[in-house]
Amino acid sequence: MVHSPITPDSNAGILIQRLGYAGLIPFVTLALLLHIVTPEAHPFVAIALSAYAATIAAFLGGIHWGIGLRHNAPQRKLHMMWGVTPSLVAWVAVIMPAFAGLPVLALLLIGCYLVDRKTWPEAGLREWMTLRFRLTVVSVLSCLIGAAAT
């Protein structure tokens, strides 16, 4: 049985793109809400944005574990070590005040993209880098716009 690859234009690829873009809804919504909610709700929205950004960063690290666990994984050690780094940095950022933690999370998301840009092509994921870039730009801007409201 031959499996066709999952590419951005395959049925599975279209689903992945839709899920990726849907994942931006909490980023954008929470960042905008931070500018309009009452002072009483502000801390809850700020922690919601921080926690969501941290969850996404941990997810991005987990992708590297998936790559590293493959039998013929290039740079296995790098994938495994980097795979835990985003969750550890995100954990620290979440316990910081939002005015400081959200910029840390924005930098972490940029760092995740830069590592992916360097490692994903070798892992056969080059065609996903355009989507990764777009998702990164919106998520980073959301963190920074949210931080500006704190």
Side-chain angles (χ1 to χ4, degrees):
M1 176 188 245
V2 176
H3 295 283
S4 61
I6 298 176
T7 61
D9 58 345
S10 68
N11 286 339
I14 292 168
L15 175 62
I16 291 167
Q17 289 183 54
R18 287 179 180 165
L19 291 171
Y21 288 126
L24 294 176
I25 294 169
F27 274 116
V28 173
T29 302
L30 292 166
L32 294 177
L33 281 175
L34 277 171
H35 290 271
I36 61 173
V37 296
T38 63
E40 297 81 25
H42 200 269
F44 299 105
V45 178
I47 193 66
L49 178 56
S50 294
Y52 186 70
T55 300
I56 295 304
F59 172 81
L60 292 170
I63 291 171
H64 284 270
W65 269 61
I67 293 169
L69 289 173
R70 292 190 319 199
H71 175 66
N72 60 347
Q75 303 182 43
R76 174 173 280 146
K77 186 176 180 180
L78 169 69
H79 287 293
M80 302 312 280
M81 290 174 43
W82 173 253
V84 299
T85 303
S87 59
L88 294 173
V89 174
W91 168 61
V92 172
V94 166
I95 61 176
M96 296 170 75
F99 72 85
L102 284 168
V104 169
L105 289 162
L107 287 173
L108 177 60
L109 292 167
I110 292 168
C112 287
Y113 171 77
L114 293 174
V115 170
D116 291 352
R117 191 175 81 176
K118 199 142 183 84
T119 59
W120 279 22
E122 191 174 66
L125 300 171
R126 179 183 319 271
E127 62 272 357
W128 293 102
M129 290 314 301
T130 300
L131 176 65
R132 272 291 284 118
F133 177 77
R134 291 174 183 163
L135 298 176
T136 299
V137 168
V138 175
S139 61
V140 166
L141 288 175
S142 295
C143 287
L144 296 175
I145 289 168
T150 59

